[in-house]
Amino acid sequence: MATAVLTAALPVQARKTLAMSNQHFADVDGQPLFYSVHGAGKPLVLLHGGIDPDSFGSNLAELATGRQVIAPHLQAHGRTPDTDRPLRSETMGDDIAALIGHLNLGKADVMGYSLGASVALQTAIRHPGVVDRLVLVSAAMRQDGFYPEVVAAFKQLEANAATLGPGVKASPLGKAYPDVDWTNLFRKVGDLTQRPYDWSAEVAKLHARTLLVYADADAIRPEHMVEFWKALGGGQRDAGLDGSLRPASQLAIVPNTTHYTLPVDPMLPEIVKRFLGAASKPVG
C-alpha cells in the first residue's frame, strides 16, 4: 500500500481494541504468540492484515456467532513480541500451524486478510494436514497481482518507516498497543512486501476448499483475481443447470468496498459463514 494511502487509511482502521479476558500466549517453536478466543463451535483461526491487529473490527464478533474464533497476533504485531528473524509469510504460516497443533485442534478453518491472507495461504501450502477450509480476503498469489503503483509503494515502505512509525505511535492504534516498535514494524513489513514471490504452482496443488474474497476496488488487479480463481479450478466451464459441475472453491467480489474497508464490511461475515457452513465437496 502506498505511503500516502497508509497514513490516510490507518486512522480509519484504528478501532477500539476489544476488551479481552481471554488473552493467551503460546510458545510456538520459540516464538511467543498472543491469541484470543471468542465464541464456541468449530474453530476458525482468523489472521489480521499488516500493521493493524484489529483489522476485522466488529466482524470478529460476528464471525464468532456459532463458531470458536481464535485470533492470533502475528509476529511483531499487537501483543505478540518480535524476534530477530525477518517477517516472512512462510515462517508465520509455520507459527499458525504450530498454534493449531498446540491447541489440539486437528484441522481448523483458517481465514486471513491481506498480509494475513498470505500467511493463511502458506499455512495451507506448507501444512495441509492442519487446514480444513481456507478463506483468503484480498490475497495475491504473485507480487504482480497488485497494481503497479502498489508494488512501487511496497518498495518504498522500508525507507519511509522512520516517518510512518512515529505517526502511528501517536494514533489511537499506537495507544492501543504501546509496546509495539512501530518504526521497526514498518521496516520489517517493508522488507517483506518488496520481495518478489510467485506461489501459483503451489496454489494449483492446494487441497483445502478455498473461498477468495475481494473488494470491487481492491489493491489487487481484477485480472489476477480471475487468475487466482482459475488456479483453484474455477472459471473453467458452465456449472450446469443443477450446479453439479461447479468447482469446490468459491469466489466473491464485494461491491462498494476497497482493500481497506473490506475487512470491516458487514457483508464479509455473511459470505464467509455461508461458505464455511456449506456442505463439503471433494477438491480436485
Side-chain angles (χ1 to χ4, degrees):
M1 61 185 82
T3 301
V5 171
L6 263 172
T7 50
L10 279 171
V12 176
Q13 299 283 48
R15 290 165 292 278
K16 184 178 179 181
T17 305
L18 292 170
M20 298 180 194
S21 59
N22 54 353
Q23 301 178 24
H24 307 275
F25 279 90
D27 186 337
V28 291
D29 299 327
Q31 167 70 60
L33 196 69
F34 171 88
Y35 65 97
S36 58
V37 182
H38 310 260
K42 185 180 178 183
L44 170 65
V45 179
L46 187 66
L47 305 180
H48 60 79
I51 306 299
D52 183 4
D54 299 323
S55 300
F56 292 98
S58 61
N59 275 345
L60 189 158
E62 184 62 32
L63 287 164
T65 304
R67 296 189 67 96
Q68 181 185 70
V69 172
I70 298 160
H73 289 178
L74 300 173
Q75 178 190 339
H77 288 76
R79 292 181 170 87
T80 291
D82 196 11
T83 67
D84 59 1
R85 74 181 190 185
L87 287 185
R88 296 291 182 267
S89 298
E90 293 85 352
T91 53
M92 289 187 286
D94 294 344
D95 291 345
I96 299 307
L99 177 64
I100 292 171
H102 172 81
L103 297 174
N104 296 313
L105 300 180
K107 271 194 168 187
D109 296 331
V110 181
M111 172 177 172
Y113 156 65
S114 195
L115 172 62
S118 294
V119 176
L121 178 57
Q122 281 299 320
T123 304
I125 288 171
R126 294 165 68 85
H127 306 276
V130 305
V131 177
D132 190 2
R133 299 194 188 194
L134 182 65
V135 180
L136 304 177
V137 182
S138 287
M141 61 179 179
R142 291 195 316 272
Q143 188 190 52
D144 67 1
F146 292 91
Y147 284 105
E149 63 269 25
V150 179
V151 176
F154 286 156
K155 295 177 181 179
Q156 301 166 6
L157 189 56
E158 188 174 9
N160 290 323
T163 301
L164 292 167
V168 176
K169 183 177 177 64
S171 74
L173 180 62
K175 289 178 170 54
Y177 297 104
D179 295 332
V180 173
D181 183 338
W182 295 99
T183 298
N184 180 62
L185 178 57
F186 275 106
R187 285 195 185 111
K188 295 188 88 162
V189 171
D191 172 65
L192 167 63
T193 56
Q194 70 180 313
R195 292 173 175 269
Y197 65 94
D198 183 350
W199 301 329
S200 52
E202 290 86 350
V203 166
K205 299 175 185 176
L206 274 179
H207 294 291
R209 189 178 182 194
T210 302
L211 167 66
L212 298 177
V213 187
Y214 295 102
D216 63 346
D218 214 306
I220 312 292
R221 297 181 295 106
E223 296 87 353
H224 188 73
M225 300 176 193
V226 173
E227 187 179 359
F228 204 149
W229 172 228
K230 286 188 171 183
L232 291 169
Q236 307 297 325
R237 58 161 300 154
D238 176 72
L241 287 173
D242 61 356
S244 61
L245 300 177
R246 67 156 290 108
S249 294
Q250 297 180 17
L251 169 68
I253 299 178
V254 181
N256 196 31
T257 54
T258 72
H259 185 83
Y260 313 100
T261 64
L262 179 57
V264 296
D265 191 275
M267 193 178 293
L268 178 63
E270 295 304 315
I271 293 169
V272 171
K273 287 193 285 186
R274 186 171 67 177
F275 169 73
L276 295 179
S280 295
K281 179 180 177 180
V283 176

